[in-house]
């Protein structure tokens, strides 16, 4: 039976598990990993697969998907043992602005703050134990949809720092 084309699907796991047509882009994982760039900027036109590629990276690296090699078994990245061992070994921050469609600055800012707040909820386990100081825990709790501008501008950088210590 021919595979269906999942038009508009942006979730890598759904495309693989629902057996949709997929052009293997997992070579990007190897290329990106081996480049060791500190910053990667991916610019492409709308509907060009940016969110899908980010979803693929999340599913490959995220500890939440540890043991999910089944998503990659038939793809190019899975041919090398080095990358099979790498799958599912890092905490991953997945933040997409694909759903930010507001037409004015105030509403767009609030939507982005909501997305960041939801991201922080995903990593709430960082508040357990002594990994974060009291001041850092207070900052963590200040990341809300209605947060101050200073908190919004620092929030992702702070989360990266927290997760770097967690690893």
């Amino acid at each position: 039976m021919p595979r269906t084309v999942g038009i508009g699907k942006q979730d890598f796991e759904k495309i693989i598990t629902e057996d949709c047509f997929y052009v293997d882009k997992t070579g990007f994982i190897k290329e990106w990993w081996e480049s060791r760039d500190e910053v990667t900027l991916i610019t492409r036109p709308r509907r060009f697969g940016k969110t899908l590629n980010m979803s693929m990276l999340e599913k490959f690296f995220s500890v939440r998907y540890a043991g999910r090699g089944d998503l990659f078994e038939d793809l190019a990245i899975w041919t090398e043992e080095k990358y099979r061992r790498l799958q599912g070994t890092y905490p991953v921050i997945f933040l997409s602005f694909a759903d930010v469609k507001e037409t004015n600055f105030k509403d767009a800012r609030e939507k982005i703050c909501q997305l960041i707040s939801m991201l922080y909820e995903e990593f709430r386990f960082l508040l357990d134990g002594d990994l974060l100081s009291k001041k850092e825990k207070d900052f963590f709790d200040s990341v809300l949809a209605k947060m101050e501008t200073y908190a919004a501008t620092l929030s992702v950088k702070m989360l990266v720092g927290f997760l770097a210590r967690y690893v």
Side-chain angles (χ1 to χ4, degrees):
M1 181 195 280
R3 293 180 174 185
T4 59
V5 177
I7 296 172
K9 288 188 187 265
Q10 297 177 322
D11 185 292
F12 177 80
E13 181 180 12
K14 280 185 180 179
I15 286 176
I16 298 302
T17 58
E18 294 175 9
D19 202 30
C20 293
F21 181 78
Y22 175 71
V23 175
D24 187 354
K25 302 271 179 106
T26 59
F28 175 73
I29 296 169
K30 180 180 178 180
E31 179 183 329
W32 177 79
W33 186 256
E34 292 179 2
S35 74
R36 301 205 175 271
D37 293 338
E38 288 194 24
V39 175
T40 303
L41 176 63
I42 300 171
T43 59
R44 297 287 183 270
R46 291 187 69 232
R47 313 295 318 146
F48 219 79
K50 295 179 299 292
T51 302
L52 176 57
N53 278 343
M54 286 177 48
S55 176
M56 173 191 66
L57 289 168
E58 176 196 24
K59 285 6 179 225
F60 187 79
F61 287 107
S62 178
V63 292
R64 289 181 35 221
Y65 291 88
R68 289 301 314 272
D70 59 298
L71 297 174
F72 298 91
E73 283 175 349
D74 298 326
L75 302 172
I77 195 68
W78 213 245
T79 61
E80 293 188 48
E81 176 65 29
K82 170 184 175 179
Y83 291 98
R84 289 195 300 269
R85 286 193 313 270
L86 194 56
Q87 194 275 324
T89 56
Y90 287 92
V92 171
I93 296 172
F94 181 83
L95 181 61
S96 171
F97 298 128
D99 293 329
V100 179
K101 301 195 185 318
E102 282 60 29
T103 58
N104 64 67
F105 175 78
K106 180 183 171 291
D107 292 343
R109 180 194 178 283
E110 188 170 321
K111 179 72 172 265
I112 291 168
C113 289
Q114 287 173 342
L115 291 171
I116 293 169
S117 178
M118 290 166 50
L119 186 64
Y120 265 67
E121 284 303 310
E122 186 179 322
F123 294 104
R124 196 145 193 87
F125 65 86
L126 292 170
L127 295 174
D128 300 334
D130 297 327
L131 179 73
L132 304 182
S133 69
K134 166 87 168 90
K135 189 175 180 180
E136 290 170 327
K137 288 179 181 181
D138 289 344
F139 177 83
F140 196 105
D141 285 332
S142 77
V143 176
L144 304 165
K146 301 285 186 187
M147 70 183 117
E148 297 290 332
T149 299
Y150 81 89
T153 59
L154 281 175
S155 59
V156 176
K157 182 176 184 173
M158 295 292 289
L159 186 57
V160 168
F162 300 157
L163 287 169
R165 275 191 264 155
Y166 179 76
V167 173

